[in-house]
Amino acid sequence: ATRTQLTSSMLALSAAALSSAASTVSSVSTRTARMPPVIYGTAWKKSQTADLVYKALRAGFTGVDTACQPKHYSEDLVGEGIARARSEGLLERGDLFLQTKFTPFRGQDPER
């Protein structure tokens, strides 16, 4: 199987897991946001990040995890995937839980 086929299969399995988790745990409440029980991770997706984020949102994910660490994440492409999903009316910004992490400057070097 190709990497793309495997990734598509993993998204389908993740969507099934999301559906199962959602039936048992609705969400975790914070002061202003609702954290979904399953969050789509964007590390190591490289140039496929935008398309995979879009597919995850289309499959029903409402949570996306990223970080400011270009060696492992492409936050700009995460934004492109989200923008595509929003432009097609798949979700509103208020429906999306976006999780990111701060990385010290030395950890932001893609060569490290």
Side-chain angles (χ1 to χ4, degrees), residues 15-52:
L18 172 66
S19 178
S20 175
S23 69
T24 57
V25 178
S26 61
S27 65
V28 174
S29 292
T30 64
R31 283 186 180 182
T32 60
R34 294 182 60 80
M35 180 186 291
V38 180
I39 297 175
Y40 181 71
T42 63
W44 310 295
K45 306 295 191 281
K46 304 289 183 190
S47 64
Q48 295 182 328
T49 300
D51 191 50
L52 292 172

Side-chain angles (χ1 to χ4, degrees), residues 5-21:
Q5 289 169 326
L6 290 173
T7 301
S8 293
S9 295
M10 290 185 332
L11 271 175
L13 288 172
S14 296
L18 172 66
S19 178
S20 175

Side-chain angles (χ1 to χ4, degrees), residues 45-104:
K45 306 295 191 281
K46 304 289 183 190
S47 64
Q48 295 182 328
T49 300
D51 191 50
L52 292 172
V53 166
Y54 166 77
K55 287 178 179 178
L57 295 172
R58 190 179 68 200
F61 281 84
T62 58
V64 176
D65 172 74
T66 188
C68 180
Q69 191 177 35
K71 181 176 181 179
H72 304 295
Y73 297 88
S74 300
E75 286 194 302
D76 57 329
L77 297 179
V78 170
E80 286 182 23
I82 292 168
R84 180 177 170 197
R86 290 194 61 214
S87 74
E88 293 182 14
L90 296 179
L91 76 161
E92 295 295 322
R93 176 59 184 99
D95 300 328
L96 178 66
F97 183 87
L98 183 61
Q99 172 177 286
T100 190
K101 281 94 51 204
F102 172 76
T103 302

